[in-house]
PDB file of all heavy atoms in Angstrom:
ATOM      1  N   GLY A 223     269.889 159.505 173.406  1.00 36.00           N
ATOM      2  CA  GLY A 223     270.586 160.236 174.503  1.00 36.00           C
ATOM      3  C   GLY A 223     270.927 159.450 175.523  1.00 36.00           C
ATOM      4  O   GLY A 223     270.805 159.668 176.813  1.00 36.00           O
ATOM      5  N   ARG A 224     271.367 158.059 175.337  1.00 38.00           N
ATOM      6  CA  ARG A 224     271.760 157.111 176.354  1.00 38.00           C
ATOM      7  C   ARG A 224     273.170 156.637 176.105  1.00 38.00           C
ATOM      8  O   ARG A 224     273.655 156.617 175.039  1.00 38.00           O
ATOM      9  CB  ARG A 224     270.864 155.902 176.277  1.00 38.00           C
ATOM     10  CG  ARG A 224     269.385 156.145 176.434  1.00 38.00           C
ATOM     11  CD  ARG A 224     268.692 154.892 176.403  1.00 38.00           C
ATOM     12  NE  ARG A 224     267.169 155.135 176.470  1.00 38.00           N
ATOM     13  CZ  ARG A 224     266.368 154.173 176.311  1.00 38.00           C
ATOM     14  NH1 ARG A 224     266.657 153.014 175.950  1.00 38.00           N
ATOM     15  NH2 ARG A 224     264.992 154.422 176.402  1.00 38.00           N
ATOM     16  N   SER A 225     273.843 156.293 177.107  1.00 37.00           N
ATOM     17  CA  SER A 225     275.124 155.616 177.003  1.00 37.00           C
ATOM     18  C   SER A 225     274.829 154.139 177.341  1.00 37.00           C
ATOM     19  O   SER A 225     273.912 153.874 178.039  1.00 37.00           O
ATOM     20  CB  SER A 225     276.182 156.279 177.853  1.00 37.00           C
ATOM     21  OG  SER A 225     275.708 156.323 179.187  1.00 37.00           O
ATOM     22  N   GLU A 226     275.750 153.289 176.875  1.00 40.00           N
ATOM     23  CA  GLU A 226     275.554 151.985 177.080  1.00 40.00           C
ATOM     24  C   GLU A 226     275.582 151.402 178.572  1.00 40.00           C
ATOM     25  O   GLU A 226     276.404 152.024 179.336  1.00 40.00           O
ATOM     26  CB  GLU A 226     276.569 151.017 176.314  1.00 40.00           C
ATOM     27  CG  GLU A 226     276.349 151.171 174.753  1.00 40.00           C
ATOM     28  CD  GLU A 226     277.346 150.415 174.001  1.00 40.00           C
ATOM     29  OE1 GLU A 226     278.060 149.601 174.667  1.00 40.00           O
ATOM     30  OE2 GLU A 226     277.282 150.497 172.778  1.00 40.00           O
ATOM     31  N   ASN A 227     274.813 150.452 178.920  1.00 42.00           N
ATOM     32  CA  ASN A 227     274.771 149.863 180.256  1.00 42.00           C
ATOM     33  C   ASN A 227     274.446 150.868 181.366  1.00 42.00           C
ATOM     34  O   ASN A 227     274.720 150.715 182.497  1.00 42.00           O
ATOM     35  CB  ASN A 227     276.253 149.311 180.522  1.00 42.00           C
ATOM     36  CG  ASN A 227     276.621 148.285 179.555  1.00 42.00           C
ATOM     37  OD1 ASN A 227     275.815 147.385 179.200  1.00 42.00           O
ATOM     38  ND2 ASN A 227     277.922 148.318 179.149  1.00 42.00           N
ATOM     39  N   ILE A 228     273.660 151.978 180.907  1.00 40.00           N
ATOM     40  CA  ILE A 228     273.270 152.946 181.956  1.00 40.00           C
ATOM     41  C   ILE A 228     271.645 152.892 181.946  1.00 40.00           C
ATOM     42  O   ILE A 228     271.123 152.941 180.985  1.00 40.00           O
ATOM     43  CB  ILE A 228     273.722 154.281 181.690  1.00 40.00           C
ATOM     44  CG1 ILE A 228     275.245 154.387 181.795  1.00 40.00           C
ATOM     45  CG2 ILE A 228     273.086 155.359 182.654  1.00 40.00           C
ATOM     46  CD1 ILE A 228     275.863 155.693 181.441  1.00 40.00           C
ATOM     47  N   ASP A 229     271.145 152.768 183.152  1.00 41.00           N
ATOM     48  CA  ASP A 229     269.747 152.792 183.272  1.00 41.00           C
ATOM     49  C   ASP A 229     269.119 154.106 182.734  1.00 41.00           C
ATOM     50  O   ASP A 229     269.561 155.147 183.213  1.00 41.00           O
ATOM     51  CB  ASP A 229     269.363 152.557 184.743  1.00 41.00           C
ATOM     52  CG  ASP A 229     267.995 152.347 185.000  1.00 41.00           C
ATOM     53  OD1 ASP A 229     267.185 152.921 184.205  1.00 41.00           O
ATOM     54  OD2 ASP A 229     267.579 151.587 185.975  1.00 41.00           O
ATOM     55  N   PRO A 230     268.180 153.977 181.865  1.00 41.00           N
ATOM     56  CA  PRO A 230     267.675 155.270 181.298  1.00 41.00           C
ATOM     57  C   PRO A 230     267.034 156.168 182.350  1.00 41.00           C
ATOM     58  O   PRO A 230     266.998 157.373 182.313  1.00 41.00           O
ATOM     59  CB  PRO A 230     266.468 154.847 180.260  1.00 41.00           C
ATOM     60  CG  PRO A 230     266.246 153.444 180.687  1.00 41.00           C
ATOM     61  CD  PRO A 230     267.598 152.928 181.139  1.00 41.00           C
ATOM     62  N   ALA A 231     266.474 155.561 183.456  1.00 41.00           N
ATOM     63  CA  ALA A 231     265.933 156.368 184.594  1.00 41.00           C
ATOM     64  C   ALA A 231     267.001 157.080 185.249  1.00 41.00           C
ATOM     65  O   ALA A 231     266.783 158.072 185.899  1.00 41.00           O
ATOM     66  CB  ALA A 231     265.180 155.414 185.521  1.00 41.00           C
ATOM     67  N   ASP A 232     268.211 156.633 185.238  1.00 42.00           N
ATOM     68  CA  ASP A 232     269.338 157.392 185.817  1.00 42.00           C
ATOM     69  C   ASP A 232     269.872 158.484 184.941  1.00 42.00           C
ATOM     70  O   ASP A 232     270.641 159.420 185.420  1.00 42.00           O
ATOM     71  CB  ASP A 232     270.470 156.404 186.179  1.00 42.00           C
ATOM     72  CG  ASP A 232     270.212 155.494 187.313  1.00 42.00           C
ATOM     73  OD1 ASP A 232     269.431 155.887 188.163  1.00 42.00           O
ATOM     74  OD2 ASP A 232     270.719 154.313 187.368  1.00 42.00           O
ATOM     75  N   GLN A 233     269.458 158.512 183.717  1.00 47.00           N
ATOM     76  CA  GLN A 233     269.945 159.563 182.701  1.00 47.00           C
ATOM     77  C   GLN A 233     269.089 160.804 182.836  1.00 47.00           C
ATOM     78  O   GLN A 233     269.562 161.886 182.645  1.00 47.00           O
ATOM     79  CB  GLN A 233     269.964 158.994 181.373  1.00 47.00           C
ATOM     80  CG  GLN A 233     271.040 157.935 181.170  1.00 47.00           C
ATOM     81  CD  GLN A 233     270.956 157.452 179.717  1.00 47.00           C
ATOM     82  OE1 GLN A 233     270.313 156.547 179.435  1.00 47.00           O
ATOM     83  NE2 GLN A 233     271.821 158.109 178.894  1.00 47.00           N
ATOM     84  N   TRP A 234     267.707 160.595 183.139  1.00 48.00           N
ATOM     85  CA  TRP A 234     266.824 161.702 183.375  1.00 48.00           C
ATOM     86  C   TRP A 234     266.680 161.875 184.871  1.00 48.00           C
ATOM     87  O   TRP A 234     265.914 161.201 185.483  1.00 48.00           O
ATOM     88  CB  TRP A 234     265.536 161.453 182.516  1.00 48.00           C
ATOM     89  CG  TRP A 234     265.691 161.638 181.146  1.00 48.00           C
ATOM     90  CD1 TRP A 234     266.029 160.610 180.207  1.00 48.00           C
ATOM     91  CD2 TRP A 234     265.588 162.811 180.369  1.00 48.00           C
ATOM     92  NE1 TRP A 234     266.163 161.157 179.011  1.00 48.00           N
ATOM     93  CE2 TRP A 234     265.885 162.467 179.015  1.00 48.00           C
ATOM     94  CE3 TRP A 234     265.233 164.100 180.621  1.00 48.00           C
ATOM     95  CZ2 TRP A 234     265.857 163.456 177.954  1.00 48.00           C
ATOM     96  CZ3 TRP A 234     265.240 165.034 179.616  1.00 48.00           C
ATOM     97  CH2 TRP A 234     265.505 164.664 178.373  1.00 48.00           C
ATOM     98  N   VAL A 235     267.205 163.015 185.349  1.00 51.00           N
ATOM     99  CA  VAL A 235     267.139 163.211 186.878  1.00 51.00           C
ATOM    100  C   VAL A 235     266.493 164.509 187.133  1.00 51.00           C
ATOM    101  O   VAL A 235     266.527 165.494 186.368  1.00 51.00           O
ATOM    102  CB  VAL A 235     268.465 163.094 187.419  1.00 51.00           C
ATOM    103  CG1 VAL A 235     269.120 161.727 187.268  1.00 51.00           C
ATOM    104  CG2 VAL A 235     269.443 164.056 186.841  1.00 51.00           C
ATOM    105  N   LEU A 236     265.875 164.708 188.331  1.00 51.00           N
ATOM    106  CA  LEU A 236     265.259 165.762 188.814  1.00 51.00           C
ATOM    107  C   LEU A 236     266.346 166.684 189.424  1.00 51.00           C
ATOM    108  O   LEU A 236     266.957 166.283 190.475  1.00 51.00           O
ATOM    109  CB  LEU A 236     264.231 165.511 189.670  1.00 51.00           C
ATOM    110  CG  LEU A 236     263.360 166.666 190.239  1.00 51.00           C
ATOM    111  CD1 LEU A 236     262.581 167.492 189.071  1.00 51.00           C
ATOM    112  CD2 LEU A 236     262.374 166.230 191.294  1.00 51.00           C
ATOM    113  N   ASN A 237     266.580 167.954 188.987  1.00 55.00           N
ATOM    114  CA  ASN A 237     267.475 168.849 189.626  1.00 55.00           C
ATOM    115  C   ASN A 237     266.702 169.568 190.814  1.00 55.00           C
ATOM    116  O   ASN A 237     265.757 170.385 190.396  1.00 55.00           O
ATOM    117  CB  ASN A 237     267.909 169.856 188.578  1.00 55.00           C
ATOM    118  CG  ASN A 237     269.065 170.864 189.174  1.00 55.00           C
ATOM    119  OD1 ASN A 237     269.096 171.069 190.370  1.00 55.00           O
ATOM    120  ND2 ASN A 237     269.982 171.230 188.247  1.00 55.00           N
ATOM    121  N   PRO A 238     267.095 169.466 191.972  1.00 53.00           N
ATOM    122  CA  PRO A 238     266.248 170.003 193.063  1.00 53.00           C
ATOM    123  C   PRO A 238     266.313 171.538 193.142  1.00 53.00           C
ATOM    124  O   PRO A 238     265.570 172.283 193.714  1.00 53.00           O
ATOM    125  CB  PRO A 238     266.917 169.384 194.329  1.00 53.00           C
ATOM    126  CG  PRO A 238     268.260 168.990 193.897  1.00 53.00           C
ATOM    127  CD  PRO A 238     268.126 168.565 192.517  1.00 53.00           C
ATOM    128  N   ASN A 239     267.459 172.063 192.386  1.00 57.00           N
ATOM    129  CA  ASN A 239     267.605 173.516 192.366  1.00 57.00           C
ATOM    130  C   ASN A 239     266.734 174.262 191.405  1.00 57.00           C
ATOM    131  O   ASN A 239     266.268 175.295 191.634  1.00 57.00           O
ATOM    132  CB  ASN A 239     269.128 173.856 192.167  1.00 57.00           C
ATOM    133  CG  ASN A 239     270.060 173.312 193.174  1.00 57.00           C
ATOM    134  OD1 ASN A 239     269.713 173.426 194.326  1.00 57.00           O
ATOM    135  ND2 ASN A 239     271.142 172.820 192.849  1.00 57.00           N
ATOM    136  N   THR A 240     266.474 173.517 190.262  1.00 52.00           N
ATOM    137  CA  THR A 240     265.578 174.142 189.331  1.00 52.00           C
ATOM    138  C   THR A 240     264.246 173.536 189.148  1.00 52.00           C
ATOM    139  O   THR A 240     263.362 174.134 188.586  1.00 52.00           O
ATOM    140  CB  THR A 240     266.348 174.011 187.883  1.00 52.00           C
ATOM    141  OG1 THR A 240     266.406 172.679 187.640  1.00 52.00           O
ATOM    142  CG2 THR A 240     267.744 174.645 187.954  1.00 52.00           C
ATOM    143  N   GLY A 241     264.122 172.346 189.655  1.00 49.00           N
ATOM    144  CA  GLY A 241     262.758 171.568 189.483  1.00 49.00           C
ATOM    145  C   GLY A 241     262.541 171.022 188.200  1.00 49.00           C
ATOM    146  O   GLY A 241     261.537 170.623 187.786  1.00 49.00           O
ATOM    147  N   GLU A 242     263.744 171.014 187.388  1.00 49.00           N
ATOM    148  CA  GLU A 242     263.596 170.555 185.991  1.00 49.00           C
ATOM    149  C   GLU A 242     264.136 169.061 185.916  1.00 49.00           C
ATOM    150  O   GLU A 242     265.063 168.685 186.666  1.00 49.00           O
ATOM    151  CB  GLU A 242     264.430 171.401 185.092  1.00 49.00           C
ATOM    152  CG  GLU A 242     264.074 172.871 185.072  1.00 49.00           C
ATOM    153  CD  GLU A 242     262.934 173.233 184.174  1.00 49.00           C
ATOM    154  OE1 GLU A 242     262.506 172.223 183.413  1.00 49.00           O
ATOM    155  OE2 GLU A 242     262.474 174.293 184.112  1.00 49.00           O
ATOM    156  N   TYR A 243     263.622 168.236 184.913  1.00 46.00           N
ATOM    157  CA  TYR A 243     264.192 166.974 184.627  1.00 46.00           C
ATOM    158  C   TYR A 243     265.232 167.195 183.579  1.00 46.00           C
ATOM    159  O   TYR A 243     265.103 167.872 182.532  1.00 46.00           O
ATOM    160  CB  TYR A 243     263.062 165.993 184.052  1.00 46.00           C
ATOM    161  CG  TYR A 243     262.312 165.345 185.167  1.00 46.00           C
ATOM    162  CD1 TYR A 243     261.103 165.798 185.593  1.00 46.00           C
ATOM    163  CD2 TYR A 243     262.872 164.106 185.706  1.00 46.00           C
ATOM    164  CE1 TYR A 243     260.518 165.267 186.617  1.00 46.00           C
ATOM    165  CE2 TYR A 243     262.110 163.518 186.609  1.00 46.00           C
ATOM    166  CZ  TYR A 243     260.907 164.074 187.164  1.00 46.00           C
ATOM    167  OH  TYR A 243     260.190 163.471 188.187  1.00 46.00           O
TER     168      TYR A 243
END
Side-chain angles (χ1 to χ4, degrees):
R224 299 178 184 172
S225 54
E226 294 183 4
N227 301 321
I228 296 177
D229 191 324
D232 288 331
Q233 292 179 274
W234 285 90
V235 297
L236 182 66
N237 187 330
N239 297 323
T240 65
E242 304 276 354
Y243 277 92

